[in-house]
Amino acid sequence: MGVSFGVAADTAQECAEGLALLALLRQFGVEVTVTLLPAQVGGHRWIARAVPMTQAPAVGEGLTVER
């Protein structure tokens, strides 16, 4: 099963802003592609989806966690 990212929001603008935050994954070598633009699913509910196009580094590779 592949990985996908979902965004749920109250407005289309908030949903788009949530998708924009996924661009931060580029810092870790992961590019994402939007597969579902913000869409209203009922009432005041909006959703969007994206999937990674590149693989994230393996655990312990490329990421440094300071404690």
Side-chain angles (χ1 to χ4, degrees):
M1 174 186 223
V3 173
S4 67
F5 302 98
V7 177
D10 293 331
T11 67
Q13 181 178 345
E14 289 174 349
C15 202
E17 290 170 359
L19 283 175
L21 287 174
L22 293 176
L24 295 173
L25 291 173
R26 287 187 191 131
Q27 296 174 12
F28 303 107
V30 178
E31 294 288 332
V32 296
T33 297
V34 176
T35 57
L36 175 65
L37 292 172
Q40 192 169 17
V41 292
H44 296 286
R45 294 181 5 215
W46 288 78
I47 62 167
R49 290 197 178 99
V51 296
M53 298 307 292
T54 54
Q55 183 136 0
V59 174
E61 291 181 10
L63 301 177
T64 305
V65 178
E66 294 183 24
R67 294 179 190 247

